[in-house]
Amino acid sequence: MSQFTVTGQFKTRDGYAEFETTVDAENENVAREHALSQLGSQHGLKRTEIDLEEVDAQ
């Protein structure tokens, strides 16, 4: 498995908050899914409220 850094922003009460997270995944698509799942779970967000800007392999 490779490590991917996922950056983007998500909707908050006061506008948008930026984030950067690192996930272990098999490929870029799986990394996107893990990031969406983690952020949605931690912040109570729907996938439509999360904007993934970049996924980079490390």
Side-chain angles (χ1 to χ4, degrees), residues 7-58:
T7 58
Q9 59 186 2
F10 60 88
K11 191 173 181 179
T12 64
R13 248 181 279 174
D14 301 325
Y16 285 88
E18 293 186 1
F19 71 89
E20 180 176 320
T21 186
T22 303
V23 295
D24 289 327
E26 297 173 6
N27 58 47
E28 188 175 313
N29 291 334
V30 175
R32 288 178 185 274
E33 292 297 319
H34 282 297
L36 289 170
S37 176
Q38 286 176 357
L39 287 166
S41 177
Q42 290 173 357
H43 298 282
L45 300 169
K46 296 180 181 177
R47 289 172 179 253
T48 57
E49 298 172 322
I50 303 169
D51 180 26
L52 301 180
E53 295 173 354
E54 189 173 18
V55 179
D56 287 330
Q58 292 184 348

